[in-house]
Structures are given as C-alpha cells and as structure tokens.
Amino acid sequence: MFRHSILFSSLCLTGFIASANDSLDELMSMSLEELSMLDITMETASKFEQKLSDIPASVYVLSGERILRSGASTIAEALSLVPGVYFSKWNENSFHVSSRGFHDGLYNKMLVMVDGRSVYSPIYGGVYWSTLDYILADIDRIEVLRGPSGAVWGGNAANGVINIITKPASETQGTYLSATGGRYEAYDVSIRQGFQTDSGVSARAFFKARNNPNYLSHHTDHWRTDTAGIVVENDSWSVRAGGTKTSTKEYFNLVEYDSSDPYNLPIEFEDGNRDYNTSSVYAQFAYSKTLESGDKLSTSLWVDHVDDESLEAPGKYTTLDVEVNYLAKLSDRHELLLGAGYRYVDMDFGSHWLDTDLYKPSIYLRMYDIDGADDYIANVFVQSDYQWTDKLSSVLGLKAEHFEQNGETELAPQARMLYQFTPEHSGWGGVGRGVVSPSYMDSNAIQQWVGIEEIGGDLYGLTFLTMPNRDLSTESVWTYEIGYRFQPSSSFELDATAFYSHHKNIRAQDCNTSFTLVDYEHLRFCFTNDDYDASSKGVELASRYAFNEQLSLYATYSYLTVDAKWQGGALSNGEAEAFLSLPKQHMASIQSVWDISRSWQWDFIVRYNDIEYPEDPIDDILDELDPHFTLDTRLGWQMNEQSPTIEIIAQKVFAEELYDSWSLYPNEQLYFVRLSHEF
C-alpha cells in the first residue's frame, strides 16, 4: 500500500509543479502542437483525423520521438509506455501485449494495425509480435484507443485498437543507417533510402535484420528476422509492399509409449530439434480525396500471405481486405461517417491431426481436424458526430458484421458524450459493445502437450489433448467508461479514465482427467468451451509535464481487477476461473526525455509492476510473482547535426531475474550500443 501511495503521489506531483510554474514565459510561448498530447490529432477513433481533445474515448498517442528515446528495441516493448497496456516476455522474441486483462499469449481482444492495415492472425485473431518489425526511426506515432471500438473497427476491437503510423515518405528522404549490438550476439541493422520526383511523388525503401537469442539462459541459438518494404505515395494515394522472414531452431521432445500397455508406463524421451521459417508478404493500396463539398472519401485494399512452419500454427494463410469510408459534412455541427468492408481468408493447415502417432507425440504441438478452410467477414457501419452546443457534443455509432465461419451476425453499437466545462476542464462518458471474431484455433485446433512427473526416480507422463468446439457463441463485451481531461497550460496535462466491462462467452480450456479411452489410457482430454463470463473494472491515468524546452516528464498509472465466473456447462468444470481472473494489477511508468545540451541526451524510464494472480489450482506458481520496480536508461551523443548518433542503452538496471508474468520467464539485465546516421 505504501508503494502504491508513492506512485500515485508522484503522478499528482507533476500537477502541483505545473500549477506553480504556469507563469514561465518560455513554457507559455511553446506551441501546443509541440507539447500537448491532448491537442494533437489521431485517425484511429473515427478513421479520419480528429483532435484528441475532441474524442470522447480513452485515447493515447505515443510519439516516435518517445519510442526512440525509450531505448526500446521492438514495437511491443515500446507499448509498455501506454497506460493500461500490459507487456511481458514469453522469451526474448515472443511477447504478451494486451489491454484490460486476459494476459495470455494468444490475446485476441485487441486489434493491431500498421498504417490502417490489420496485422491480425486469421487463425486466432491476435498478433504474432515476433514477426511484427519495422525501423523504429521511421515510426511517426502509435495511436492507441482503449476500450471497445467495434462500432468502427469491428471484430477483435473488444478491449482496444493499436494503430502504428509510419512517417510519410516525404519526411524520410535521403539515407538512414543504424546498427545495434548487445549481449549474447544480439544485433540489428537497418538501412532506408528515400526518393522524390518532380511530380510530387515520394518513396522509400528499407531493410532491417534483427538477430536475438531465443532464451538468455541458453543463448547459443538465435532468432533471425529480416524485414523489407517499399512505400510510394503522394497527397491522395499510397502504395505499400513488403515482407518479413523469421528463422530459428525449434526444440521439442518426442515422448514414446508402449502401444501394447501404455497405461502408467515410464516414458522414453527422444530429443528433437529442427530449423523452421515463417515468411509473410503484403501489398496495400490506399486512396483518399476531399470533395468540393468538404466531404471526404477514403478506400483501401490490402492482401497478405503467410507461410508458417512453426508447431504453434503451421499452415499457409492468405487474407484479402477491402474497405470504403465516406465522411459527409451535413452542416457545421453535424458529420456522418459511413463505411463498409469485406475480408476474405483462405487457409491451408497442411496436415490433419489423425496423421499424428499418439503413441509417439511431441511434447507440444497444435493440429487441426480439417485440411483447410475459407470464409469471409462483411460489415457496414454508420457513425454520427453532432455538436449540440459549443460545450456539448455526441457520437452515436452502429456496426453490423457477419462472420461466415459461424454464420452469426453481430451488432456493435456505441454512444458517447463529451462536455467542455471550461477551456481547461472537460469530461466524457460512453458505452459500447465489441465482439471477438470466431477463431479456428477454438473451433478446429487440437492442442497437444505432455505433462511429466517423476515418481521413484522414474519419469511418468500423460499426454493432454485440448479438443476443439464448433458450437461456440461469439465472445462479446459491454464497456461503460467515464473520463476527465485537465490542461491548465501548455506545460501540463492530465487524462483520467474509469471503466467497467462485462464479458460473455469467454473462451477457456477445462480438463477432464477421469475420461480415458481404451488402449489410449495415457491420453487425458481437455475441452474448449465458452462457459465463462467476467467483470473487469479499473482506472487509467496519464500525465505530462514540461519543465522547459529541454526536459519533459511522462507518467502513467493503471489499476485493473478481473473477476471471472463459471456459468456451468457439459465440457467445463470451473477450473479456468483461476487463469481468467486477476485480483489486482497495478502498473505505473515514468519516462523522462532530457536534452542536457545540443549534443547530449539522457533519458530514464522507471516502471512498477504489481500483479496478483488467484491461487493456482494446479501447481501454485501463478501467485508467486513479487511486486517490483525496474529502471531503463539511455545516454545519447551527437557532435552536430551532420554527425552520427551514438547511444548506450541499459534495461532493467540493478535487477536480477525478474519475473513479471505468469509465463515465469526471467527478465535479465540487457545492454546495447546503437550507432545511427541520417544524411
């Protein structure tokens, strides 16, 4: 409790300091566009540009400058600076990124996009963060909309939307080179070249190679990611194309049973490993136009193809997506947004689970009970923005979305109001519904894993099979939010949100260890079900204070609790409540951005993490994580504007083997040196 008081006091202290320094001439002369989070614009809330201060929703913009100054090496890591967004490592290349609870590795309740192009997996609806890479210096900002936004974005935008916006090609002219080296032969190399024609067309081509150890505890094997792409654009259209290839060595153990008497016999191990690659390519076309009437039209078309050899989601997947949006300015006070979209997905899973030898299973594997599938998602939506008075405005929206996979049509409405009490104070409130797109991992995948136990010096094992379920209702959430914004001057601002959400038909896997099959007594069966509901509530705070032009401080704090309840069911037993619930979660961060002089920069990030899990009914390890602080720091030097920049980055200073997630992967100290030059 004492720690929580310190964190909250630190957040509020920035407001006290700001009020005491309002009269500083240099602060008042700085533009809001340079300093303010609330008076910059974003596109994610309505697909067209809006001021943050005019949006009645929980929104946040993380600038590209802050990403670079954080010392983050990946996009996923940078998102830990956003209030309410949870980040932890499964290993050095696989991450958990989620919002407002349910922190599992296959998180499917948050839509993630790059320049408006969804990077979701068509298999489970989430993001494989290890394959999402980009030159960080070319990211303009990351726009985050927390809470349901299904009325605009549809399926999977249940707990939030993340839109990674890259810089216009006109702002990335010339050559950029960057190289980073760290412990355990970790490195990345980036190159980008910009072009421009006399006709106003700008372009850039880029390549990035990243090499990381899989695990710090045995760092002889590495994960290699190569990313390349090109952007060509002018004021009204853009074309993007590129791809990513990942290569690594995957370790697994084959477990062999005696087929004549498989029950309770000691298991025999055979160590196995293999090299595997995952590759993806994409192409995207976007067009926008402002008509003479002031109305705006935008359309986009993108296609991508993934070839995945991993044990997690093997197969080949192709996605085609097209959407059209029209913003009609009906009057000075009323705007109407209309839109429609269509997504087609074709999947080839490669192999059938019946081809697997259940007497010699891999220690982990995911298979499918169909060879492939194809389906579509179609949607239409409408949203009305009305300015009732100079102080009061409203947003009403509704999306209808049809999922061919389960044959259901879902409605996602929202209603929001914003009131400007004074130029410094504003408040907003809203309610909205979001849904999660149906998943082939739930309806058609069989997950296989082996549990091992040592008895009397011998190893015994049971093979668990999580069976799919084709009769699942669509997962949904209703969320109620209120928010407050305070900006007394250009040097200080505070944004606060409180929310309550009720989730229905949450996916879970419960095991029935008493159910066996003759001649397959070594198998135990679990069943995918939708027999859980959950209530979550929390608060999210964000503030910024600029001491002067050289030093700014950004602070965030979030509190969350999730209470999951079993609703009964033939394929469940209530055991998953402990894995879906979260008695408490406190997260906080303070980031300083400090220009000591023209040549020197020194930045810090202090994070606090306190997560309490329920008592684990299986092995009592989930509730053993200790509250802790971590410190990251970055020192940068550039002799002059024409010189290269040298950075020294240290992560988790003074920490030793911190555990900050239920995956129980230790986060050790890491050190990097980065050299970059733009000319």
Side-chain angles (χ1 to χ4, degrees), residues 256-490:
E256 186 168 2
Y257 296 90
D258 184 351
S259 60
S260 63
D261 186 12
Y263 184 68
N264 251 358
L265 284 181
I267 58 177
E268 297 181 8
F269 280 100
E270 177 185 336
D271 292 333
N273 67 78
R274 66 187 181 110
D275 296 325
Y276 84 88
N277 302 310
T278 296
S279 61
S280 64
V281 294
Y282 70 89
Q284 178 185 10
F285 173 77
Y287 174 79
S288 62
K289 183 178 182 180
T290 300
L291 308 179
E292 293 182 1
S293 61
D295 295 357
K296 297 179 180 180
L297 172 70
S298 71
T299 184
S300 68
L301 169 69
W302 61 263
V303 60
D304 70 12
H305 177 76
V306 177
D307 189 348
D308 194 342
E309 298 177 356
S310 70
L311 296 176
E312 180 68 50
K316 298 179 180 180
Y317 321 117
T318 302
T319 303
L320 173 68
D321 192 287
V322 59
E323 69 171 40
V324 178
N325 304 295
Y326 188 84
L327 181 65
K329 194 172 181 61
L330 303 181
S331 69
D332 292 339
R333 292 182 175 272
H334 193 193
E335 291 183 342
L336 193 66
L337 175 62
L338 305 170
Y342 180 87
R343 176 175 295 163
Y344 171 78
V345 180
D346 180 77
M347 287 156 286
D348 178 7
F349 298 118
S351 61
H352 199 283
W353 84 284
L354 293 179
D355 299 329
T356 303
D357 185 355
L358 294 177
Y359 290 104
K360 193 176 182 180
S362 168
I363 201 166
Y364 180 81
L365 183 64
R366 198 181 297 272
M367 308 157 287
Y368 293 85
D369 62 4
I370 53 176
D371 296 324
D374 64 282
D375 66 65
Y376 70 87
I377 301 173
N379 70 80
V380 294
F381 76 92
V382 59
Q383 177 171 292
S384 171
D385 290 48
Y386 194 81
Q387 189 76 37
W388 296 90
T389 68
D390 292 341
K391 295 180 178 294
L392 179 65
S393 61
S394 67
V395 175
L396 299 174
L398 177 66
K399 167 165 278 193
E401 191 165 28
H402 179 73
F403 303 100
E404 187 195 17
Q405 181 186 344
N406 62 4
E408 294 187 6
T409 299
E410 296 288 341
L411 298 179
Q414 72 165 343
R416 299 181 177 274
M417 302 284 288
L418 182 143
Y419 188 79
Q420 192 83 29
F421 299 101
T422 68
E424 297 82 18
H425 301 267
S426 63
W428 60 270
V431 57
R433 183 178 188 261
V435 300
V436 177
S437 301
S439 163
Y440 282 93
M441 274 195 179
D442 295 330
S443 62
N444 297 94
I446 296 94
Q447 182 184 8
Q448 170 190 289
W449 58 278
V450 178
I452 303 168
E453 184 177 359
E454 183 175 347
I455 302 176
D458 292 324
L459 291 178
Y460 291 79
L462 294 174
T463 296
F464 289 83
L465 294 178
T466 300
M467 306 304 293
N469 188 344
R470 300 192 184 190
D471 188 23
L472 296 170
S473 299
T474 302
E475 186 176 348
S476 64
V477 57
W478 277 98
T479 296
Y480 308 84
E481 299 175 288
I482 57 172
Y484 168 71
R485 292 171 182 146
F486 175 53
Q487 187 172 2
S489 70
S490 59

Side-chain angles (χ1 to χ4, degrees), residues 111-163:
L111 179 66
V112 180
M113 300 177 289
V114 177
D115 294 314
R117 173 180 62 90
S118 173
V119 291
Y120 86 121
S121 163
I123 301 303
Y124 79 97
V127 176
Y128 290 114
W129 290 96
S130 55
T131 63
L132 179 58
D133 205 6
Y134 210 86
I135 297 178
L136 296 184
D138 287 352
I139 295 178
D140 182 69
R141 64 195 186 278
I142 299 178
E143 300 179 351
V144 181
L145 175 62
R146 301 186 303 277
S149 49
V152 173
W153 294 105
N156 298 105
N159 277 5
V161 176
I162 292 176
N163 195 4

Side-chain angles (χ1 to χ4, degrees), residues 67-142:
I67 294 172
L68 289 177
R69 300 287 289 265
S70 72
S73 57
T74 64
I75 294 172
E77 185 180 347
L79 288 169
S80 64
L81 297 172
V82 178
V85 173
Y86 173 80
F87 165 83
S88 70
K89 294 181 179 180
W90 181 264
N91 56 41
E92 288 303 303
N93 302 283
S94 301
F95 315 111
H96 294 169
V97 180
S98 54
S99 175
R100 298 186 175 181
F102 311 101
H103 303 322
D104 56 83
L106 298 176
Y107 188 77
N108 61 358
K109 299 173 181 60
M110 183 170 62
L111 179 66
V112 180
M113 300 177 289
V114 177
D115 294 314
R117 173 180 62 90
S118 173
V119 291
Y120 86 121
S121 163
I123 301 303
Y124 79 97
V127 176
Y128 290 114
W129 290 96
S130 55
T131 63
L132 179 58
D133 205 6
Y134 210 86
I135 297 178
L136 296 184
D138 287 352
I139 295 178
D140 182 69
R141 64 195 186 278
I142 299 178

Side-chain angles (χ1 to χ4, degrees), residues 416-623:
R416 299 181 177 274
M417 302 284 288
L418 182 143
Y419 188 79
Q420 192 83 29
F421 299 101
T422 68
E424 297 82 18
H425 301 267
S426 63
W428 60 270
V431 57
R433 183 178 188 261
V435 300
V436 177
S437 301
S439 163
Y440 282 93
M441 274 195 179
D442 295 330
S443 62
N444 297 94
I446 296 94
Q447 182 184 8
Q448 170 190 289
W449 58 278
V450 178
I452 303 168
E453 184 177 359
E454 183 175 347
I455 302 176
D458 292 324
L459 291 178
Y460 291 79
L462 294 174
T463 296
F464 289 83
L465 294 178
T466 300
M467 306 304 293
N469 188 344
R470 300 192 184 190
D471 188 23
L472 296 170
S473 299
T474 302
E475 186 176 348
S476 64
V477 57
W478 277 98
T479 296
Y480 308 84
E481 299 175 288
I482 57 172
Y484 168 71
R485 292 171 182 146
F486 175 53
Q487 187 172 2
S489 70
S490 59
S491 63
F492 174 72
E493 58 201 15
L494 174 68
D495 192 347
T497 300
F499 67 90
Y500 171 82
S501 298
H502 184 68
H503 297 257
K504 292 183 67 65
N505 306 319
I506 299 173
R507 303 296 186 259
Q509 290 81 36
D510 287 346
C511 296
N512 185 340
T513 57
S514 63
F515 177 72
T516 60
L517 295 178
V518 176
D519 294 332
Y520 290 93
E521 288 83 356
H522 63 289
L523 299 181
R524 294 296 182 269
F525 293 89
C526 308
F527 299 91
T528 300
N529 62 81
D530 56 2
D531 298 332
Y532 293 85
D533 292 354
S535 297
S536 61
K537 55 181 178 291
V539 296
E540 297 159 345
L541 306 176
S543 69
R544 179 196 60 86
Y545 175 61
F547 291 88
N548 49 46
E549 293 186 14
Q550 287 74 43
L551 177 60
S552 294
L553 189 69
Y554 299 84
T556 69
Y557 169 78
S558 65
Y559 169 77
L560 172 70
T561 180
V562 181
D563 183 21
K565 296 296 184 184
W566 179 46
Q567 304 302 309
L571 299 178
S572 58
N573 55 21
E575 194 174 74
E577 282 186 1
F579 298 95
L580 298 172
S581 297
L582 203 62
K584 70 172 183 179
Q585 173 184 280
H586 297 276
M587 297 191 303
S589 69
I590 298 177
Q591 180 187 19
S592 68
V593 178
W594 186 17
D595 294 325
I596 300 175
S597 66
R598 166 61 191 83
S599 298
W600 289 93
Q601 300 171 341
W602 196 7
D603 308 313
F604 298 90
I605 299 177
V606 179
R607 295 182 177 90
Y608 176 72
N609 195 340
D610 179 11
I611 299 181
E612 178 186 322
Y613 291 98
E615 182 178 350
D616 184 354
I618 296 180
D619 46 23
D620 296 323
I621 60 175
L622 294 188
D623 56 346

